[in-house]
Amino acid sequence: MLDEQAKKTMLRKIPHGLYICGVKNEEEVNGFTASWLMQASFQPPLIVNCVKQNSISHQMIKSSGVFAISFLENGQKDLAQKFFKPMRQVGNKFEDVEFYLGETGCPIISDSLGYVECNVVDGVEKGDHTVYVGEVIASGVHREGKQLLLETTGWNYGG
Ligand SMILES: Cc1cc2nc3c(=O)[nH]c(=O)nc-3n(C[C@H](O)[C@H](O)[C@H](O)COP(=O)(O)O)c2cc1C
């Protein structure tokens, strides 16, 4: 039998960074705070990005087949907080955030450590998040710095 409390305690011990995943469709761009992300292959360079199925970003990734990951710096909790609100409630999250469009057309946060851009090459739609497998097709470093880690924010996403 699954011990719910133990499962929650242990799954919350998986370390995560915090990122802004930039997405697009034909008309607009969006982004959301992401943490369930990791490298999955050296060659070709693959990452996995687990995306909540009922978010607008999920629809946008599914239809465009691309996403961009901006790496936040330690201290950029305010940006992470802005982007975990749903677009359906708050509208354009990029209104007062400087960004540019990458090769994929997805938004990249200018004030971030850097980015990777991905083409979606596969996806596993099980449970409440889809595991998108992205091949890294472009990348850039904006500046040196320590990345923002979930554990330093006092928030939880997991369990
Ligand atoms: C700390 C934290 C980490 C999160 N990590 C993820 C994640 O890895 N994947 C995901 O789909 N949503 C994650 N979310 C939730 C999304 O940021 C949230 O659902 C967002 O509103 C989606 O934006 P959208 O509705 O504009 O697409 C996280 C939220 C928080 C607070």
Side-chain angles (χ1 to χ4, degrees):
M1 205 182 77
L2 177 62
D3 179 335
E4 279 292 332
Q5 194 51 50
K7 178 215 35 148
K8 190 177 198 174
T9 302
M10 296 319 298
L11 290 182
R12 286 186 172 183
K13 290 190 189 299
I14 299 174
H16 294 289
L18 278 180
Y19 315 88
I20 305 300
C21 178
V23 299
K24 68 163 193 184
N25 62 17
E26 267 141 44
E27 295 97 47
E28 54 194 352
V29 296
N30 186 34
F32 69 98
T33 301
S35 55
W36 290 0
L37 187 134
M38 63 182 281
Q39 184 161 1
S41 163
F42 283 118
Q43 201 49 253
L46 301 177
I47 63 171
V48 292
N49 178 16
C50 305
V51 184
K52 199 158 91 177
Q53 287 183 2
N54 65 6
S55 67
I56 200 156
S57 298
H58 185 273
Q59 278 175 24
M60 291 169 92
I61 295 175
K62 199 169 174 170
S63 64
S64 70
V66 287
F67 61 85
I69 302 292
S70 294
F71 289 64
L72 295 180
E73 186 170 15
N74 188 21
Q76 290 186 308
K77 191 177 168 181
D78 51 336
L79 262 180
Q81 189 157 5
K82 181 179 186 68
F83 279 88
F84 71 53
K85 293 170 186 149
M87 188 191 195
R88 288 188 187 102
Q89 270 173 32
V90 298
N92 179 10
K93 295 180 233 181
F94 279 101
E95 200 167 48
D96 54 356
V97 175
E98 201 183 312
F99 71 98
Y100 61 94
L101 299 181
E103 282 177 34
T104 54
C106 292
I108 294 167
I109 307 264
S110 306
D111 183 20
S112 63
L113 294 177
Y115 68 91
V116 293
E117 288 187 84
C118 294
N119 282 335
V120 173
V121 293
D122 216 333
V124 181
E125 289 199 30
K126 299 274 187 212
D128 48 22
H129 283 58
T130 292
V131 182
Y132 282 116
V133 181
E135 178 166 355
V136 178
I137 51 103
S139 181
V141 178
H142 295 148
R143 60 169 189 265
E144 286 305 314
K146 291 259 184 243
Q147 68 274 34
L148 178 61
L149 298 176
L150 179 61
E151 67 169 313
T152 66
T153 64
W155 302 331
N156 275 306
Y157 193 79

